[in-house]
Amino acid sequence: MSNAKFGSRLKQDVPRGTLDLLILRTLGTMGVLHGYAIARRIEQVAGGELRLSQGSIYPALVRLQQQGWIRTEWGTSETNRTVKFYELTKLGMKQLDIEIAGWQKSTALVARFLKAGP
């Protein structure tokens, strides 16, 4: 799979600092998925508004695994390929709640500034 094919329909890079949240949320709602399926699901939910490259998602998955927020297991994909599947851990579920609360707090703060008058 080439990077061009992976992100050809997409328009923007994932906003800085949000990729971990998007991955954790995807695994939290969809359950066990391989990396390509995680990326496709994020693209699907974004409605084609995001560009997600292999060079960004796979390092993020390694980072999340090192933090203990996801675990991996080798398995066979729907196309009969050996792939690594990712699953949210209990620690990852707690982190997802923290990430959601942090994001909501940040967006509320920015919204206040955008509404503020002179």
Side-chain angles (χ1 to χ4, degrees):
M1 167 179 56
S2 72
N3 279 346
K5 183 177 179 182
F6 199 68
S8 63
R9 294 178 297 120
L10 307 173
K11 297 177 181 174
Q12 298 181 26
D13 290 329
V14 174
R16 185 178 295 259
T18 62
L19 184 56
D20 290 358
L21 171 59
L22 298 179
I23 292 170
L24 292 174
R25 177 68 177 164
T26 299
L27 290 173
T29 56
M30 300 298 292
V32 180
L33 292 173
H34 53 75
Y36 182 74
I38 294 169
R40 296 290 306 181
R41 177 64 181 165
I42 291 171
E43 291 172 1
Q44 179 187 31
V45 172
E49 296 294 322
L50 294 177
R51 174 178 43 220
L52 192 57
S53 71
Q54 293 179 52
S56 60
I57 192 161
Y58 288 104
L61 289 168
V62 169
R63 184 177 61 252
L64 294 175
Q65 183 182 4
Q66 290 172 341
Q67 292 170 322
W69 298 342
I70 61 173
R71 66 177 149 254
T72 65
E73 184 171 316
W74 289 99
T76 304
S77 73
E78 60 280 351
T79 58
N80 206 28
R81 295 177 50 198
T82 301
V83 295
K84 195 180 277 189
F85 285 89
Y86 300 88
E87 180 179 21
L88 206 58
T89 64
K90 286 185 180 181
L91 189 60
M93 289 179 206
K94 290 179 183 175
Q95 186 60 33
L96 175 57
D97 290 340
I98 292 168
E99 297 276 338
I100 290 170
W103 179 253
Q104 289 171 335
K105 186 176 179 180
S106 295
T107 56
L109 175 66
V110 172
R112 266 188 288 173
F113 277 98
L114 294 177
K115 289 180 182 176

